[in-house]
Amino acid sequence: MVRLSRFHRLALLTASTAVITGGVLSQGSAFAATQWQKITDSPSGITVRLPGKPVVQKYSDHGVNSRDYVVPTGYGALGFSVFDGPGKAPDKPWDLRTGLKAAVDGYNSGDTSARLHSTDVHAGTKDGDRYLEARLIGAEGRVGHIRLVDHGKQSIVVMTVGTGRQRAAVDRDYRQVLDSIKTPHHAPRQVAEPAVST
């Protein structure tokens, strides 16, 4: 469900930059003046605010189209993905647990020395949409968060990864992205009731 090799490369690049500068980025750094921008995934109409202009990649696999929006940050990387299930039955949910495993595996495929694993996995609902959320921890002090949302015809994934010594920024930015998500109105998922004859 999720390909995150580009996410992985951006996270490693910016984490390396933070290590080189002792975790403090200079005022001249590309990451110093964070300017949050509203990003719209035009096929779905879903909007999210990100701390800069994202690198965008599009994929199509087994009838599912997806778009990844990833921004390098001073601590690693932050991004979201939107997956479309064309012709998806409104009463058939997305498999969020498989999506979580695919996201972590996708990140880990880039470099075995920078492996992540998920912890504190929990499910919930918000605005009628089911979600699955987890904390991410990994080698070399990496930390992060991921949330996968079943939005009916679309699934949304938000993920951030950074260095442990900048955990406060990782946590803050992740929460800010989640709070910024706006989705077009959609009817809550309902299972059709059998017809009753009178």
Side-chain angles (χ1 to χ4, degrees):
M1 181 175 153
V2 180
R3 287 187 185 86
L4 291 170
S5 58
R6 178 173 291 273
F7 185 101
H8 180 89
R9 287 194 299 273
L10 282 170
L12 290 179
L13 169 69
T14 52
S16 298
T17 302
V19 168
I20 290 167
T21 61
V24 179
L25 296 171
S26 69
Q27 290 302 316
S29 165
F31 309 114
T34 302
Q35 192 168 19
W36 287 76
Q37 301 178 24
K38 180 173 139 181
I39 309 300
T40 301
D41 176 63
S42 58
S44 67
I46 294 167
T47 64
V48 175
R49 293 188 71 79
L50 292 176
K53 184 175 180 182
V55 175
V56 182
Q57 276 199 313
K58 299 178 181 181
Y59 300 99
S60 184
D61 190 23
H62 294 94
V64 176
N65 299 317
S66 64
R67 279 91 46 208
D68 297 339
Y69 302 84
V70 181
V71 175
T73 64
Y75 51 73
L78 173 66
F80 78 102
S81 301
V82 178
F83 296 84
D84 295 324
K88 189 163 178 46
D91 61 340
K92 184 175 180 185
W94 287 87
D95 186 347
L96 300 181
R97 289 205 175 266
T98 298
L100 173 60
K101 182 179 184 320
V104 173
D105 289 350
Y107 184 93
N108 290 340
S109 69
D111 180 356
T112 56
S113 69
R115 295 182 66 79
L116 289 175
H117 69 273
S118 58
T119 184
D120 296 336
V121 179
H122 62 277
T125 58
K126 183 176 179 187
D127 300 328
D129 292 331
R130 294 181 316 111
Y131 69 82
L132 189 69
E133 188 168 40
R135 283 191 318 118
L136 302 170
I137 55 175
E140 300 173 7
R142 285 186 177 78
V143 296
H145 301 278
I146 185 168
R147 180 180 284 194
L148 301 94
V149 181
D150 181 344
H151 186 63
K153 287 189 177 180
Q154 281 88 28
S155 176
I156 305 165
V157 178
V158 176
M159 183 173 177
T160 183
V161 176
T163 59
R165 74 185 83 126
Q166 293 183 315
R167 178 187 292 275
V170 172
D171 295 349
R172 179 198 64 227
D173 288 356
Y174 173 70
R175 183 56 49 198
Q176 192 165 337
V177 170
L178 289 183
D179 291 344
S180 76
I181 297 173
K182 302 271 187 277
T183 57
H185 176 71
H186 69 286
R189 183 175 287 109
Q190 297 178 357
V191 177
E193 299 276 335
V196 177
S197 41
T198 57

